[in-house]
Structures are given as C-alpha cells and as structure tokens.
Amino acid sequence: MATVAHRLGHHRVLLRRAFPSPSIFNQNAKISTFGTFSTKKKFILTTSGILATGAAGLVYALNESVKASELELHPPKYPWTHDGMFNSLDHASIRRGYEVYKQVCAACHSMKYIAYRNLVGVCFTEDEARLEAEEVQVLDGPDEEGKMFLRPGKLSDYFPNPYENDEAAKAANNGSLPPDLSFITLARHGGENYVFSLLTGYCDPPAGIEIREGLYYNPYFPGGAIGMAQALYNEIIEYSDGTPATRSQLAKDVSTFLKWAAEPEHDDRKRMAIKALMIFSLLTAVAYYYKRHRWTVLKSRKIVFKPSKK
C-alpha cells in the first residue's frame, strides 16, 4: 500500500508540472483585448468580419467568372432519346446518320474500325448492307499473276479510307488531319453533344478575334479556329425515308450514328441490365426468405442462466 501511495503522489506532482493551475490560464485570457469589449461591440466586430469575408469571396467569384481563360464554349446537354437508363438508340436516326456520313462526311473522314457487316440488324438488312458494300471498290490481291486488283466490296470489308495515307490527308486539308470518326464520341468531352454543337455552331468570329486564312471560327472547338469548313446545310442531301433534311436534323442523325459506331453494344448492354435486375430482384427475395428461415431459430431462442445448486 505504501508503494502504491508513493506512486500516486509522484504522478500527481508530474501532472501539476505538466498542467498548471487554471488560474494561469485565466490570467493569460485576460491579456486579450477582445474579452474586454462589451457584447454590443463583439456583435458589431463579428458581423463586420463576416460581411467583409463574404464581400471578398463575392468579388473573387465575380472576377473569376469574367476571365477569358477559355475561349471555347462547353456543349450544352441535349435531350437525346437514348440517354435514359433503359432507352435504346433511335435506329431510324442511325440509318439516316449513315446516309449523312456516306454522302457528306466520308469525303474527308474515315471510319476504319466499322465494317459493313456491323450495319446488319442495326439499320440495314443483310441484303441492303451487301448492296452498300458493293458500291465501293476495294484493293485486293495479289492475284495469280502477283498483281493487285480492285473488286466490289463485301460485308467483311471495312469502310474505305478517303486518302491513301495521313500525309495525303494533310496535303488535301491545308495541313490539318481529319480525325477518324469511329470513336469520336468517346474521344471528345461531351460525346454526341459536342459533335452536334460543333456541326451547328459555325458563326462569324466576334470583334477582336482574327482567324487566319484556311481556318474557320467555331466557338465549340478548342481555340475557336478549326480547319474543317461548315459541312451541313439545309437540304444538302435527301433522306431515303423523306425526312426533311434541315441542318439540325442532319447533325442530330449523324451524331446518333457516331454514338452507335463508338458503342455498338449500347442497346445490348441496357437489355442485359434489365434482365439482370429482374433476376437479382427475384434472387434477393429468395435469399431474404432463406435467411429468415435459417436464422429464426437463433433469433427466437431464449437464453436463461441457471446457477448451479451446491
């Protein structure tokens, strides 16, 4: 006991050295001049500080909002019919978008990762897709004489490249290389919203901005100066289904087509999600019932302590 009392006394001395008496803290607290102010003065100073901080934050936010750090516009969000969790692509729009690509975009842009067989069951029947493929001439060979030859396209052939190589593409477009459109909606921020905004966003440059010869102004393109001229105009083509070919309709259809090209599994993925949700909902109910059945004995039991009698 004496040893324990000695240790306790030693710890109390150490605690007093480490943590002085509260009177010291009270003396230090009196040094602050804020504590001597009246309640009214404290309220005024606190309110002034809050208002000054809020005003400074507002000035900073307004200053940042008007800075011309980015000259391009961010594409707005459009109400696409395939944006819903279980909504599919508009396949009639995909077919019209293919017509826009074939008659307008294919002159400069390639889609080297899309084959004619990919169109079967999406926007064309097998016979229609085969006719589309036969309209192009594909370099093949060598033949029995070791020479290359041209033949009509087949379903297994990919969309033709408008240029032989990248250098030829640059030479034909003032040094600009037209990008491949196979995955363009995944490669650009905004996806199909960006493509639609770009195709419909050509306008005259604002005052103070000069565009050099060979470039065109588009606020949705990074930097504002784009090497591609405006490609879509009203009634530039005629749709096979008779849809009015306005510029916005053309841009909407080709954007939908490029969305499908980048994600051909789009509809299958959502269809599989519906099946998975239905199956997992059923399995969840079965698992819950099985859990109640297995644990009912343990959760309803009563444990009683009975001391032994001696």
Side-chain angles (χ1 to χ4, degrees):
M1 293 297 292
T3 305
V4 174
H6 176 71
R7 290 181 177 177
L8 289 175
H10 181 66
H11 286 311
R12 287 176 181 174
V13 172
L14 293 177
L15 289 173
R16 288 177 181 175
R17 292 177 179 177
F19 301 97
S21 61
S23 61
I24 299 178
F25 293 101
N26 294 335
Q27 294 174 3
N28 293 336
K30 293 180 181 179
I31 299 176
S32 176
T33 57
F34 188 78
T36 61
F37 291 162
S38 62
T39 304
K40 184 177 181 180
K41 289 184 177 181
K42 290 180 180 179
F43 176 76
I44 294 174
L45 290 176
T46 304
T47 305
S48 301
I50 294 174
L51 293 177
T53 304
L58 179 61
V59 171
Y60 176 78
L62 292 176
N63 182 52
E64 291 296 320
S65 64
V66 298
K67 282 185 177 179
S69 57
E70 297 181 358
L71 297 179
E72 71 272 9
L73 294 177
H74 295 283
K77 179 70 174 178
Y78 294 103
W80 299 96
T81 56
H82 56 264
D83 273 347
M85 186 177 297
F86 302 117
N87 293 343
S88 64
L89 291 166
D90 185 353
H91 288 253
S93 182
I94 293 177
R95 179 172 181 138
R96 292 193 299 267
Y98 168 75
E99 295 179 11
V100 177
Y101 168 76
K102 174 185 174 182
Q103 301 183 45
V104 180
C105 307
C108 300
H109 296 274
S110 63
M111 294 188 72
K112 58 184 178 182
Y113 298 107
I114 303 297
Y116 287 98
R117 65 172 180 268
N118 299 131
L119 302 175
V120 178
V122 176
C123 55
F124 289 103
T125 63
E126 183 175 348
D127 293 337
E128 289 175 337
R130 183 178 291 108
L131 292 176
E132 289 292 327
E134 290 176 354
E135 291 181 3
V136 301
Q137 295 294 315
V138 179
L139 183 64
D140 201 352
D143 56 10
E144 296 178 354
E145 299 179 356
K147 298 180 180 180
M148 304 298 290
F149 61 93
L150 293 175
R151 60 165 177 81
K154 299 183 294 185
L155 288 178
S156 58
D157 293 323
Y158 289 84
F159 288 3
N161 195 326
Y163 303 103
E164 295 182 359
N165 49 60
D166 291 348
E167 297 303 323
K170 291 180 181 179
N173 293 275
N174 296 323
S176 300
L177 178 63
D180 184 85
L181 299 182
S182 302
F183 299 98
I184 195 66
T185 59
L186 295 179
R188 298 293 185 271
H189 177 70
E192 59 269 35
N193 294 304
Y194 168 79
V195 176
F196 180 87
S197 299
L198 184 75
L199 293 175
T200 58
Y202 285 89
C203 60
D204 295 330
I209 296 181
E210 296 183 0
I211 304 297
R212 67 179 177 85
E213 186 179 358
L215 297 180
Y216 307 89
Y217 181 74
N218 194 313
Y220 295 100
F221 187 77
I226 184 173
M228 181 181 72
Q230 181 175 343
L232 301 182
Y233 297 92
N234 293 334
E235 306 297 336
I236 192 175
I237 67 171
E238 291 185 5
Y239 282 130
S240 59
D241 60 358
T243 301
T246 61
R247 186 176 67 165
S248 58
Q249 183 69 46
L250 296 169
K252 179 258 183 183
D253 291 334
V254 75
S255 299
T256 304
F257 171 71
L258 295 177
K259 172 69 175 179
W260 165 81
E263 301 179 58
E265 78 289 347
H266 180 276
D267 291 353
D268 293 334
R269 184 178 67 247
K270 292 187 176 181
R271 190 181 299 113
M272 185 63 67
I274 296 175
K275 296 179 181 178
L277 288 176
M278 295 175 60
I279 295 174
F280 283 127
S281 299
L282 178 62
L283 292 179
T284 301
V286 174
Y288 178 74
Y289 176 80
Y290 183 73
K291 176 258 183 187
R292 292 289 301 272
H293 175 73
R294 295 290 295 181
W295 285 83
T296 182
V297 178
L298 296 177
K299 288 192 173 184
S300 61
R301 67 181 179 175
K302 182 178 180 181
I303 301 176
V304 180
F305 175 71
K306 294 181 177 181
S308 59
K309 296 181 180 180
K310 294 184 180 180

